[in-house]
Amino acid sequence: MSYAVTTSIASPLVGSYFHAQRLRSAQFVFVLASIFELNSIVQLIGYSLQGLYTPEIVTLGLLGLVPTLLAMMVGIWARGRLDAVLFRRLIVVLLVPSVANLPW
């Protein structure tokens, strides 16, 4: 059984690439959110065409939106209160274990 996700195995690499571009925090978040949204739309269409969605999977996906949206709201709130240096450091803290986990 396959499950759609909002990011992909390439997420740590994409995040690392745009982190290296030294975008401002608002630009960084916008670019990554746009890329992941486009990826999710493509996955949604592809999985739907293959008939991979069952009522249970759709229910789990909808339930998963609640913590996702809450975390996104907290992230938007926090990003506006962080200075650029701290934001970049937090991104590195998130990226290092993600990239290190890729070979696994």
Side-chain angles (χ1 to χ4, degrees):
M1 182 172 291
S2 178
Y3 293 93
V5 292
T6 57
T7 61
S8 66
I9 194 168
S11 298
L13 300 175
V14 171
S16 297
Y17 173 78
F18 285 107
H19 181 264
Q21 298 300 309
R22 298 196 162 276
L23 301 173
R24 290 179 295 138
S25 62
Q27 291 173 319
F28 179 83
V29 171
F30 178 79
V31 168
L32 259 61
S34 298
I35 289 170
F36 295 150
E37 187 67 28
L38 179 61
N39 183 57
S40 294
I41 291 168
V42 170
Q43 283 181 337
L44 178 68
I45 293 168
Y47 289 0
S48 294
L49 292 174
Q50 293 178 23
L52 296 176
Y53 289 119
T54 64
E56 294 82 18
I57 290 175
V58 172
T59 301
L60 284 172
L62 292 173
L63 289 173
L65 284 176
V66 174
T68 301
L69 293 174
L70 290 173
M72 188 174 67
M73 289 168 44
V74 169
I76 290 169
W77 174 84
R79 183 187 52 84
R81 286 154 181 75
L82 296 175
D83 66 48
V85 173
L86 182 57
F87 178 82
R88 291 188 55 74
R89 287 182 181 158
L90 289 173
I91 294 301
V92 170
V93 166
L94 294 171
L95 284 174
V96 167
S98 297
V99 171
N101 191 43
L102 283 177
W104 186 304

